[in-house]
Amino acid sequence: MADGTTEVAPKPTATVGRLARFPLRKTIQLVIGIAVVAGAAWGAYRTISLGTFTGAAWRDLVVFGVAQGAIYMLIALGYSMVYGVLRMINFAHGEVFMFGAFGSYFVARVLNDHGLINSSPVLSIAILMIAGMVCSVAVAVLLERVAYRPLRNAPRLVPLITAIGASLFLQNTARGFFGDQDRGYPTPDSLGGSWTILGIPILRSSVIVIVVAVTMVAALTWFVARTKTGKSMRAVAEDKDIASLMGINVDRVVVMTFVIGGMLAGVAAVLFALVFGLVGPFMGFVPGIKAFTAAVLGGIGSIAGAAIGGLILGVLESVGPALFLTGLKIPGPNQLKDVFTFTILVLVLIFRPGGIMGTGEPEKV
Amino acid sequence: MRRPSWFAVVTVLGALSLVAAGCAKEEGGGGGGGGGAVDCNTVEFGCVTYAAGAPIRVGTLLAISGSVATLGLDSQHGVSLAIDYLDGKFDGKPGQLVGHPVQLDNEDDLCSKQGGQTGGTKLASDPTILFVVGTSCSSSALGVADKLLGDKGIILISPSNTAAGLTAPDQHNPFYMRTAQNDAIQAKVVSDFVYTKLGFTKAATIHDESPYAAGLTGGFKTFFEQAGGTVTDEEAFTTIAGGGSSDFKPLLTSIAQTKPQLIYFPDFNPECALIAKQAADIPQLKGVKLMGSDGCNASTFFDQAGAAANGVYLSSPIPSPGASTSGLLDQFNAAYKDQFGKQTAPFNANAFDAFNVVAAAVKKVAIENSDGSVSIPRVALKDAVFQTKDYAGLTGTLTCISTGDCQAPLAVNIGVYLSPDVPTNKPGSEPIFNETITLEDALGSG
């Protein structure tokens, strides 16, 4: 693909030149940044001085946020790794997540019919995780093989559009198979209630989500840093052509990336289903968008970035409306939770175009 | 070159379909008017004429897919049973209206403005549609489907739109009417239940930004505060279908800070189920009662919320037929169970009545032509529906008032059920509280 020749811009006149020397863009950025931070600080100050929220409430909000963020984090890792290796956004990742949830749903129903879910919840959750992972991995690998591999060397926009098409296709396939009603997901009764950890009562479901997610991220970090496959993934992410010259089977590495992304999505799906108790064909859409946002926020292509982005997003969604808006007497503050998510995203991208952990270089999709 | 050959085929087909469309249009719009008091050629919006033996076409615009399909399909079944009953018996075989069979054109309102727009446009563009039963959700009707159809002189009669705005004098479309109760009534009953029966003085509300839910929480606030109660917190969320989150724990934690005794959340599923489920997990909401509405009250609620559904209060209209139709209600319920299984939402009887109120008016105004065709003038039909008085329906003895509420003039009976003993979950369940009040009572005190 030859790039089109860019037109040479007309030479700036002297006045424009002087204006250009004045750092207008930087100044506007700074003003916006200061205004937002000041507004947030004022809102937070007003809320805290009102004193409606108890300390326990703030603590709960943070824990809920972390648990939600942990799910975003697991999905975000899938976006981020595929982007790192292939430089493409796999918009169908939310549907990989959804199929994982459905896979485990059918197993969960069988387990529930035999009473296993309540009699041995730990074993059941392990089985559900495996079922979720198997389904998600199958869909992710199929997706790579059918929809993305033939387009590996096509211009960047092509796989992007294909991904959106694949996403719609998978959503409607699930709708056709399973109907569009959300279904109740059987959850162990022992998952209700809370455990007291370090003197803080935390919902059992939140504890499980956080523990599983952190374990998965730790395992992934170890895998990418220490194993041979991990090393070859990093090599492919750096430069596909050189990596293949060095004897790395790029196709295998790409499949491996989708497998890992699928596993994480499958685990996230089971956690999501256990927390919310619902599965449906469109359940992947919103978490997918949020996780994508988290990946961009943290710095797409970076594992630590996806993790941090997911957590920040989750906590902001949970704490943001209460902290910044209650004091300003804005009615129905929780309606505006997405405003925080995207304001923070815009702010981060203005000041660090590559995301929090990114390289700082703007990347074109 | 092969190109011209298929090109020719396409052209011919296109020309043929244009001719066919032209014919169809003539059949629907013109003709008619053979020797009645009404001259179909001059009257506003004209007449709809059906050739001898041709079916009368009725549209439905209900939420038949998506997360609230339980509501739309339930109403659609009510309409099907009304057509079944045109011959005076529930035998699974459709009856006839003024000597013509009835054919349904089922569209989806998607329980949203967009769905109302798409489905409404489609039905409004079909001149052979006599009237439309719908919509399921107030958001699809208000300013969208009611206007699209009303502009063409097509009646829109809803079995389950309850938002007060739809029949408010300043917003009412002349071709819109409903057999569902006005939410001013439901809000009043809920407020009475919470304040008088439960003896609570502090409540919080959550709505989903729809005219239905926001109308109910707003109405509840008015009545509850008049009675002497306090609404401690008014929250709102974006529906999951609209891109919102499934996590209601932060919202519920915010509400818990204002220490209400009850949370009123008249929304739809799955959000109702998620709120019920997650409220059970919030330690600070211990002992706080939950109250949903007829939107929550669907079979999906019990499936999705599981054990958390138990102990939730749900309000719903109770069909209260007069003495002449109470036997019919039993037959209707038996036929419903027979043909469609368990009812999934509380509005099927309203849908049955909606169809029948218009069908009765059709019988009054239809002009039988000498060639066996029938012409129905649109404006006269609308006027006849508005003249409905003391119609013995399944839901009560109905009278239509000028703003489109076709309800029992004496009272609408609203019940409050304590889950799991709810008819959509356990058929035959009895309400723990019920009140029959008129629209005037509700509006008068509001």
Side-chain angles (χ1 to χ4, degrees):
Chain A
M1 278 285 290
D3 283 334
T5 48
T6 32
E7 284 207 10
V8 181
K11 232 185 168 147
T13 60
T15 2
V16 175
R18 241 199 323 277
L19 272 179
R21 270 198 300 279
F22 178 73
L24 188 63
R25 225 182 99 197
K26 278 263 157 69
T27 311
I28 293 176
Q29 284 180 3
L30 210 67
V31 169
I32 295 175
I34 291 173
V36 170
V37 170
W42 172 241
Y45 166 74
R46 292 286 301 272
T47 306
I48 291 170
S49 57
L50 266 179
T52 10
F53 286 78
T54 59
W58 290 119
R59 189 192 63 209
D60 286 349
L61 286 176
V62 171
V63 174
F64 297 150
V66 171
Q68 186 68 19
I71 295 178
Y72 291 155
M73 167 169 98
L74 287 177
I75 310 173
L77 285 167
Y79 278 105
S80 206
M81 286 174 63
V82 168
Y83 183 83
V85 170
L86 286 179
R87 292 284 183 277
M88 69 162 275
I89 309 290
N90 178 14
F91 272 115
H93 195 59
E95 277 57 56
V96 170
F97 164 86
M98 176 266 292
F99 269 98
F102 263 109
S104 70
Y105 164 74
F106 291 110
V107 176
R109 256 192 12 193
V110 173
L111 293 178
N112 194 38
D113 288 346
H114 291 79
L116 217 63
I117 272 203
N118 279 319
S119 62
S120 41
V122 177
L123 176 72
S124 307
I125 292 179
I127 295 176
L128 294 179
M129 295 268 173
I130 291 168
M133 281 199 266
V134 168
C135 268
S136 284
V137 167
V139 173
V141 169
L142 207 69
L143 196 65
E144 193 276 329
R145 188 70 194 84
V146 175
Y148 301 152
R149 194 181 293 181
L151 302 171
R152 181 85 51 80
N153 298 314
R156 271 186 173 185
L157 205 55
V158 176
L160 188 75
I161 301 293
T162 311
I164 294 172
S167 162
L168 290 173
F169 173 80
L170 289 173
Q171 256 176 33
N172 286 293
T173 307
R175 186 184 184 183
F177 277 141
F178 313 127
D180 49 13
Q181 297 283 308
D182 287 312
R183 301 169 182 221
Y185 190 97
T187 49
D189 295 338
S190 48
L191 213 57
S194 21
W195 279 313
T196 307
I197 294 168
L198 302 174
I200 303 170
I202 300 179
L203 290 185
R204 292 179 186 189
S205 54
S206 300
V207 174
I208 289 176
V209 168
I210 295 168
V211 167
V212 171
V214 169
T215 316
M216 292 301 285
V217 173
L220 179 71
T221 311
W222 171 82
F223 180 84
V224 172
R226 293 272 181 262
T227 63
K228 211 174 159 199
T229 322
K231 207 180 257 177
S232 48
M233 278 168 73
R234 280 184 292 150
V236 171
E238 203 121 305
D239 193 316
K240 234 185 314 189
D241 299 329
I242 305 282
S244 101
L245 287 176
M246 293 296 166
I248 293 172
N249 183 343
V250 175
D251 278 345
R252 212 183 125 254
V253 170
V254 171
V255 170
M256 218 33 224
T257 311
F258 275 86
V259 167
I260 294 171
M263 281 169 72
L264 295 169
V267 170
V270 175
L271 294 175
F272 188 90
L274 288 174
V275 172
F276 297 117
L278 284 183
V279 292
F282 303 110
M283 67 183 285
F285 180 71
V286 174
I289 294 284
K290 292 284 171 63
F292 173 62
T293 311
V296 174
L297 181 65
I300 194 152
S302 140
I303 291 178
I308 290 174
L311 289 179
I312 290 182
L313 205 68
V315 172
L316 258 181
E317 267 188 11
S318 176
V319 178
L323 182 58
F324 302 125
L325 293 184
T326 317
L328 301 178
K329 304 267 183 210
I330 290 175
N334 279 288
Q335 247 171 325
L336 300 173
K337 65 160 96 173
D338 288 343
V339 172
F340 290 97
T341 319
F342 293 103
T343 309
I344 292 297
L345 180 71
V346 168
L347 281 183
V348 167
L349 292 185
I350 287 177
F351 291 103
R352 286 190 64 91
I356 295 171
M357 305 293 281
T359 50
E361 289 167 30
E363 271 284 2
K364 280 185 191 151
V365 178
Chain B
M1 280 281 220
R2 298 182 59 91
R3 197 182 166 85
S5 69
W6 66 257
F7 187 69
V9 171
V10 170
T11 315
V12 170
L13 277 179
L16 278 176
S17 63
L18 277 177
V19 171
C23 292
K25 184 150 193 168
E26 202 158 325
E27 194 184 348
V38 182
D39 180 2
C40 285
N41 296 317
T42 57
V43 71
E44 196 191 2
F45 295 120
C47 300
V48 197
T49 302
Y50 299 98
I56 290 179
R57 296 187 17 89
V58 174
T60 68
L61 183 55
L62 299 161
I64 49 179
S65 75
S67 47
V68 291
T70 37
L71 176 59
L73 290 172
D74 177 75
S75 297
Q76 208 181 75
H77 296 157
V79 174
S80 303
L81 285 174
I83 295 172
D84 180 353
Y85 191 68
L86 281 174
D87 53 7
K89 51 187 185 290
F90 292 109
D91 52 3
K93 279 182 239 128
Q96 293 200 326
L97 181 61
V98 290
H100 291 249
V102 177
Q103 188 187 43
L104 287 180
D105 183 347
N106 297 321
E107 296 295 331
D108 195 343
D109 82 2
L110 298 172
C111 200
S112 69
K113 254 190 155 128
Q114 291 85 340
Q117 179 80 33
T118 316
T121 307
K122 183 154 182 250
L123 290 167
S125 65
D126 184 344
T128 64
I129 294 283
L130 184 59
F131 66 96
V132 177
V133 179
T135 58
S136 289
C137 296
S138 303
S139 43
S140 313
L142 190 59
V144 189
D146 63 355
K147 181 169 188 330
L148 286 168
L149 292 162
D151 286 351
K152 294 287 174 71
I154 301 173
I155 290 170
L156 179 65
I157 183 161
S158 170
S160 65
N161 287 163
T162 56
L166 279 161
T167 55
D170 55 334
Q171 291 182 67
H172 174 245
N173 185 293
F175 284 85
Y176 176 86
M177 54 211 71
R178 63 172 162 206
T179 53
Q181 83 281 358
N182 186 314
D183 270 344
I185 299 175
Q186 185 169 203
K188 175 86 170 81
V189 173
V190 169
S191 161
D192 288 351
F193 169 71
V194 174
Y195 190 81
T196 315
K197 174 85 192 267
L198 297 179
F200 290 168
T201 53
K202 291 199 292 180
T205 62
I206 311 175
H207 72 76
D208 65 3
E209 306 171 341
S210 68
Y212 161 73
L216 272 176
T217 55
F220 172 77
K221 183 177 187 215
T222 311
F223 296 127
F224 194 61
E225 290 187 338
Q226 257 166 23
T230 319
V231 172
T232 60
D233 195 5
E234 292 168 86
E235 288 285 347
F237 62 86
T238 308
T239 59
I240 297 170
S245 158
S246 316
D247 194 3
F248 291 94
K249 294 193 288 286
L251 187 154
L252 290 165
T253 304
S254 298
I255 285 185
Q257 305 312 308
T258 65
K259 304 195 174 56
Q261 291 162 297
L262 174 136
I263 299 175
Y264 182 43
F265 55 108
D267 305 310
F268 292 105
N269 290 304
E271 287 84 359
C272 283
L274 285 169
I275 289 174
K277 216 167 168 162
Q278 292 173 23
D281 282 342
I282 309 271
Q284 291 171 314
L285 285 181
K286 206 159 185 235
V288 175
K289 299 286 181 204
L290 300 177
M291 167 106 217
S293 62
D294 46 3
C296 300
N297 184 1
S299 52
T300 37
F301 177 72
F302 303 95
D303 173 43
Q304 293 167 355
N310 297 338
V312 175
Y313 297 111
L314 295 169
S315 64
S316 274
I318 304 172
S320 312
S324 63
T325 45
S326 64
L328 184 62
L329 181 63
D330 294 338
Q331 280 181 47
F332 170 83
N333 284 333
Y336 190 101
K337 194 159 182 286
D338 215 38
Q339 294 184 24
F340 307 108
K342 209 176 88 177
Q343 72 170 80
T344 53
F347 291 104
N348 44 49
N350 300 69
F352 183 86
D353 281 351
F355 181 92
N356 282 330
V357 163
V358 185
V362 169
K363 286 179 197 157
K364 277 188 225 157
V365 301
I367 304 160
E368 315 251 359
N369 301 317
S370 50
D371 60 353
S373 67
V374 62
S375 297
I376 300 147
R378 291 200 183 274
V379 175
L381 178 63
K382 176 205 70 167
D383 293 341
V385 177
F386 277 103
Q387 280 153 20
T388 302
K389 198 166 174 356
D390 298 334
Y391 177 85
L394 286 186
T395 54
T397 308
L398 310 178
T399 296
C400 295
I401 60 173
S402 63
T403 48
D405 278 310
C406 293
Q407 287 159 354
L410 294 177
V412 174
N413 193 354
I414 303 276
V416 175
Y417 297 90
L418 179 59
S419 173
D421 298 316
V422 182
T424 48
N425 189 41
K426 289 183 183 162
S429 299
E430 292 294 325
I432 56 162
F433 173 84
N434 72 310
E435 202 170 75
T436 39
I437 53 175
T438 65
L439 185 58
E440 285 76 46
D441 288 346
L443 292 178
S445 62

